[in-house]
Amino acid sequence: MLYEFGLKTERQNFYNITGKVMEALTKSGIKEGIVLVFCPHTTAGITINENADPDVVKDMLLGLDRAYPDRAEFRHMEGNSQAHLKASAVGSSQYIIVENGRLVESRKNN
Amino acid sequence: MLYEFGLKTERQNFYNITGKVMEALTKSGIKEGIVLVFCPHTTAGITINENADPDVVKDMLLGLDRAYPDRAEFRHMEGNSQAHLKASAVGSSQYIIVENGRLVESRKNN
Amino acid sequence: MLYEFGLKTERQNFYNITGKVMEALTKSGIKEGIVLVFCPHTTAGITINENADPDVVKDMLLGLDRAYPDRAEFRHMEGNSQAHLKASAVGSSQYIIVENGRLVESRKNN
């Protein structure tokens, strides 16, 4: 089963899509299995991370920006090579295990 | 179904294997499902990215090289720790969703 | 089939869990398919890499630490933003293809 949704984004940010994934899971009726969350855009990625403290996301934006800064040597006309690099670093997809109709998460979120 | 192929590579580069993946998909006859593209070498990775402008790949090679430079402190005798790091950063595999016998891609490739 | 196990870790290190994965595979009795190795903690990741030379792991720890250093600007109270970044860089899961009841590996490990 394939569920699609679009998301309008800023130039750079993290967006919590857990609700969308859970919604699709509920619709599917699947109780045991695996969810693949895939983003077909090559300047965006999917990652699993903490959302309890919003500072984690701010720190991650900063850390990724420093690991893959915009470089004077970059030649791609669209000027978004940095975004392509970050997308490859973070990855296009994530898999989450489903047990009893729920996403398997860490018991203790750290 | 498992399809294998080998690829001779330079010390560092990106190679477009989309054709190989589509070929395997056609052979399999699968119309709905998921393709796993897996690279068993630990100094190479699989990523999904743009190929329209060849400068994207050049910028990505440069950006990855700067994020994971060769370091004087590296001790691995084979001298390819940089490649191991890049492989872990990019990842060993990618999943692509199959719908109507075709790989699901971004409608607008940016 | 879902197999779980816990692992006590130091602040930062790599742990070889291949034996655990093979044990789960044997228990499952599966001969052809795919193993998903998933880590639900957001400050730890799963990667496939070389274990022949222990220096690879040391070099990788160093290289990841330099790509994602601890930064004075980080605001996350728990002080582990660096670990969140590394976890997203390496990824939460890995897939390994199973053929004849065995994990598909590189013939020549480099």
Side-chain angles (χ1 to χ4, degrees), chain A residues 1-3 21 34-39 92-96, chain B residues 33-35 94-98, chain C residues 95:
Chain A
M1 260 155 298
L2 178 59
Y3 298 89
V21 175
I34 289 165
V35 178
L36 165 58
V37 185
F38 176 77
C39 170
S92 301
S93 59
Q94 292 292 334
Y95 268 78
I96 310 118
Chain B
I34 290 165
V35 178
Q94 293 292 335
Y95 268 77
I96 309 117
I97 298 169
V98 175
Chain C
Y95 268 77

Side-chain angles (χ1 to χ4, degrees), chain C residues 20 31 83:
Chain C
K20 286 284 185 189
K31 296 298 173 206

Side-chain angles (χ1 to χ4, degrees), chain A residues 34 47-50 53 55-56 58-60 62-63 66-68 89 95 97 99 105-108 110, chain C residues 2 4 36 38 40-43 67-68 71 73-78 80-81 84-85 88-89 92-93 95:
Chain A
I34 289 165
T47 191
I48 298 174
N49 230 296
E50 181 185 322
D53 175 2
D55 280 342
V56 172
K58 286 177 199 153
D59 291 355
M60 288 187 69
L62 179 69
R66 296 285 174 85
Y68 298 105
Y95 268 78
I97 298 170
E99 212 186 6
E105 290 171 54
S106 174
R107 318 299 179 203
K108 189 177 139 284
N110 73 331
Chain C
L2 178 59
E4 288 181 71
L36 164 59
F38 177 76
H41 285 273
T42 57
T43 52
Y68 299 105
R71 296 187 185 280
E73 304 98 310
F74 284 162
R75 289 182 285 187
H76 180 37
M77 289 277 284
E78 288 183 281
N80 60 0
S81 290
H84 285 290
L85 276 158
S88 273
S92 302
S93 59
Y95 268 77

